[in-house]
Amino acid sequence: VSGSDQFRAAVTAPGLAVVQFNTRWSDRCRQIAPFIDQLCKRYPSVKFVKVDVEDNPYLAKTESVSFVPTFKIYKNGLKVKEILGPSQQALEFAVKHYSL
């Protein structure tokens, strides 16, 4: 996501959207990246989007993101879950739960 308009379009569309707020320098973000790729394949109906907080500081501020990685899950335009630095199991459980 390269700006507020793309972000709003992604999270307000029908269905489930998982937004990862990250940075390029964070070890935790780099460690979870391959798992996010697996989730994309396992849940093809879910939109997975990334927001680099350094490239989008205004968006990070308006979304109150102060820790990376932060995952926010939106269903049909409404935020239903926020997870800070989740384990792989916690993230997949949330994706599975809200995609039903």
Side-chain angles (χ1 to χ4, degrees):
V1 171
S2 62
S4 296
D5 292 339
Q6 278 187 330
F7 174 77
R8 292 282 162 237
V11 301
T12 58
L16 195 68
V18 178
V19 182
Q20 177 188 3
F21 292 87
N22 65 353
T23 63
R24 290 179 290 278
W25 54 263
S26 167
D27 287 337
R28 291 181 67 114
C29 292
R30 285 196 302 265
Q31 289 169 355
I32 203 163
F35 183 69
I36 301 301
D37 292 340
Q38 291 175 17
L39 288 180
C40 291
K41 292 175 183 153
R42 273 189 239 157
Y43 300 93
S45 64
V46 176
K47 291 180 292 291
F48 288 88
V49 293
K50 289 184 181 179
V51 176
D52 187 305
V53 298
E54 291 178 324
D55 294 342
N56 298 283
Y58 174 77
L59 189 52
K61 184 177 180 181
T62 58
E63 289 296 311
S64 303
V65 173
S66 59
F67 182 86
V68 292
T70 292
F71 290 85
K72 295 189 179 195
I73 301 175
Y74 295 82
K75 188 164 191 171
N76 300 323
L78 300 173
K79 184 175 79 171
V80 293
K81 184 81 172 167
E82 181 172 336
I83 315 170
L84 306 180
S87 67
Q88 293 179 359
Q89 295 84 0
L91 182 58
E92 183 161 19
F93 177 82
V95 170
K96 184 185 291 187
H97 176 76
Y98 290 106
S99 66
L100 298 176

